[in-house]
Amino acid sequence: MKKTILILSLFVAVFASCKKQGDTFDAAAQAAKDETAIQAYLKANPSITATKDDSGLYYQVLTEGTGTSPIVTSSVTVNYTGKLLNGSVFAQPANLTSQLSNLIKGWQVGIPKIKKGGRILLIIPSVLGYGNQSPGTAIPANSVLVFTIDLLSFN
């Protein structure tokens, strides 16, 4: 009986450790794909003069704003337009208020680059967005995201 349980346990462990092809995610390969896609987007949109942050985020301050900048623990109120690189708009809410720390990493890095009343363009590689997850049907997994954000206020 012990031998049967041992064999069955071994079989279950081996079967559970098997992976289907495509189950692994190669972050480095995805980062390279994102970078290629972002460079193509920038080339197709020469009016964008974005700077690449050390995090991999591309940003362009369109209007600096005045006063101080928010920090990750700030609650921010924004208007924004979110698009994919192909131009399809997936969100355009007004007066969204949230803790910056609750938002995607690209926003946490980008929004503190402006002040109240400022406007910024963010081109966010997937690792700083939703990664290899899809938050809904409008945003596929591994999507580079483009946001134009107006920082209305923060505290």
Side-chain angles (χ1 to χ4, degrees):
M1 182 69 169
K2 288 182 183 180
K3 189 175 183 179
T4 304
I5 292 173
L6 179 62
I7 292 172
L8 183 58
S9 296
L10 184 58
F11 176 74
V12 169
V14 168
F15 182 73
S17 68
C18 292
K19 293 183 179 181
K20 293 182 245 170
Q21 188 173 19
D23 278 356
T24 59
F25 175 71
D26 186 341
Q30 184 58 49
K33 287 179 188 176
D34 288 354
E35 184 64 24
T36 299
I38 291 169
Q39 289 303 317
Y41 180 78
L42 292 172
K43 187 174 182 179
N45 295 279
S47 63
I48 298 174
T49 57
T51 301
K52 185 176 182 181
D53 182 86
D54 290 340
S55 68
L57 171 76
Y58 283 81
Y59 69 96
Q60 181 176 346
V61 174
L62 303 171
T63 307
E64 187 175 354
T66 59
T68 60
S69 297
I71 58 175
V72 173
T73 57
S74 297
S75 175
V76 296
T77 300
V78 299
N79 291 341
Y80 75 90
T81 300
K83 301 186 294 186
L84 301 176
L85 287 180
N86 66 11
S88 63
V89 175
F90 59 81
Q92 202 166 18
N95 295 310
L96 170 78
T97 299
S98 179
Q99 288 294 124
L100 190 52
S101 60
N102 292 336
L103 301 173
I104 62 174
K105 186 70 173 172
W107 280 42
Q108 293 175 27
V109 172
I111 289 179
K113 295 185 181 299
I114 57 174
K115 300 168 176 60
K116 181 180 175 184
R119 173 178 262 205
I120 193 166
L121 172 72
L122 302 178
I123 304 170
I124 302 175
S126 61
V127 70
L128 299 177
Y130 297 105
N132 63 345
Q133 304 296 313
S134 174
T137 58
I139 304 173
N142 300 313
S143 291
V144 173
L145 308 173
V146 180
F147 289 97
T148 302
I149 303 169
D150 295 312
L151 179 59
L152 304 177
S153 64
F154 68 92
N155 58 36

